[in-house]
Amino acid sequence: MDVTSRLEWHPRLLDPTQGRSVKPRKSGLTMVIDKGLGLHAFEDLLQTSAPYIDLLKIGFGTSPLYPSDLLKQKIQMARQHKIDILPGGTFLEVAIVQKTVPEFFEMVGRLGFTSVEVSDGTIEMERAARNEYIRRSREQGLNVYTEYGKKLWGSTIDVDQLLETVILDVQQGASFVTIEARESGAGVGIFDANGQCKDEELHAIVGQLPDRNQIIWEAPQKQQQVDMLRMLGLSVNLGNIAPQDIYSLEALRRGLRSDTFVHPES
């Protein structure tokens, strides 16, 4: 078939790696953080980028700052494009501290969110409580994304603790575990104060994971994304991607940027 007759790029130009999967994906997930897009900007985002977005997080605790009808519209639009959408984990932490967890879950359901994030980046959370929030979310028909790591500057990763958290969270019903890096990508987790990846620590973690596809690595900076794709493969799950960076990341995944350019064997 002459692909040009249908105004379609040749498959090897669309994806030189020949490895990019389509939604719903089991790996190669891209999680985008929304820090306040208006309805028209959000609609434009989905019109251009929906095939490349698997998960969209309404960042931090910003969900109650929107007019409820507007937020509901955004959620419905994301669902129409088969994008998992959830409030930021910090918002559940606020609900825990404010003793309003039932009210939190009630509104999550009424607004139409498809998922929640269970995290303890700012607060301390006992294992039993973590299990309970995962279970409660699943009972409400929500997908669960948990998060490991503290948001405090200079916080590091305890490999044994991380591995235990991943195993137990998945056993309890979490779909994926996100590794904290904040929206800055510096001075937290596997990134040093300059945003550089701690390669040895990353390899130590990955080498012991039962299933690396269960992990979403927050990597908001371009060089972090490049490093992750080079070290862990083009189908690594990446999170905290800014809306304006979706296309650049997708190009990296497909070998359409020099950083991951595909050189055919001669």
Side-chain angles (χ1 to χ4, degrees), residues 20 25-33 52-57 86 117 145 147 176-182 190-191 197 202 206 212-242 245-246 248-254 257 260:
R20 186 64 169 138
R25 284 181 273 264
K26 298 293 185 182
S27 62
L29 273 62
T30 294
M31 182 273 277
V32 173
I33 184 168
Y52 317 128
I53 306 172
D54 302 277
L55 174 63
L56 194 144
K57 183 191 298 186
L86 70 162
E117 183 176 62
Y145 297 82
E147 188 172 67
F176 295 91
V177 180
T178 302
I179 308 300
E180 175 69 68
R182 305 204 71 179
I190 61 167
F191 300 118
C197 184
L202 175 63
V206 173
R212 66 171 62 183
N213 289 330
Q214 294 171 335
I215 301 297
I216 299 175
W217 303 89
E218 291 187 349
Q221 298 182 25
K222 184 253 187 176
Q223 191 56 49
Q224 295 169 350
Q225 297 159 20
V226 171
D227 291 343
M228 288 289 187
L229 292 166
R230 285 176 172 171
M231 289 189 285
L232 303 182
L234 299 181
S235 291
V236 64
N237 303 319
L238 296 177
N240 271 15
I241 307 303
D245 293 336
I246 297 169
S248 61
L249 173 56
E250 189 66 23
L252 287 169
R253 290 192 185 278
R254 295 173 185 238
R257 291 187 71 176
T260 54

Side-chain angles (χ1 to χ4, degrees), residues 94-209:
V94 170
I96 292 168
V97 172
Q98 296 298 324
K99 296 181 170 45
T100 55
V101 171
E103 290 81 1
F104 168 87
F105 278 104
E106 179 185 2
M107 278 298 288
V108 163
R110 289 175 60 187
L111 288 167
F113 280 110
T114 61
S115 308
V116 293
E117 183 176 62
V118 177
S119 67
D120 56 0
T122 306
I123 66 173
E124 296 299 326
M125 185 184 297
E126 296 293 333
R127 182 69 238 182
R130 192 175 179 97
N131 292 347
E132 171 62 20
Y133 297 130
I134 296 172
R135 181 194 62 78
R136 184 169 192 159
S137 302
R138 296 295 298 147
E139 287 180 351
Q140 194 162 316
L142 299 164
N143 296 322
V144 181
Y145 297 82
T146 60
E147 188 172 67
Y148 173 87
K150 296 297 182 183
K151 296 183 183 296
L152 184 67
W153 174 271
S155 61
T156 58
I157 291 176
D158 182 303
V159 177
D160 291 337
Q161 186 182 70
L162 168 61
L163 294 172
E164 180 182 25
T165 299
V166 171
I167 292 170
L168 293 178
D169 283 359
V170 172
Q171 286 178 350
Q172 292 296 318
S175 299
F176 295 91
V177 180
T178 302
I179 308 300
E180 175 69 68
R182 305 204 71 179
E183 73 280 7
S184 65
V188 176
I190 61 167
F191 300 118
D192 65 20
N194 297 314
Q196 297 296 310
C197 184
K198 304 173 186 176
D199 293 356
E200 291 185 9
E201 189 167 325
L202 175 63
H203 287 298
I205 294 169
V206 173
Q208 299 182 62
L209 287 171

Side-chain angles (χ1 to χ4, degrees), residues 2-22:
D2 182 6
V3 295
T4 59
S5 65
R6 297 171 53 189
L7 285 177
E8 293 181 355
W9 294 106
H10 190 284
R12 289 194 174 276
L13 293 175
L14 178 64
D15 179 12
T17 71
Q18 296 292 288
R20 186 64 169 138
S21 58
V22 298

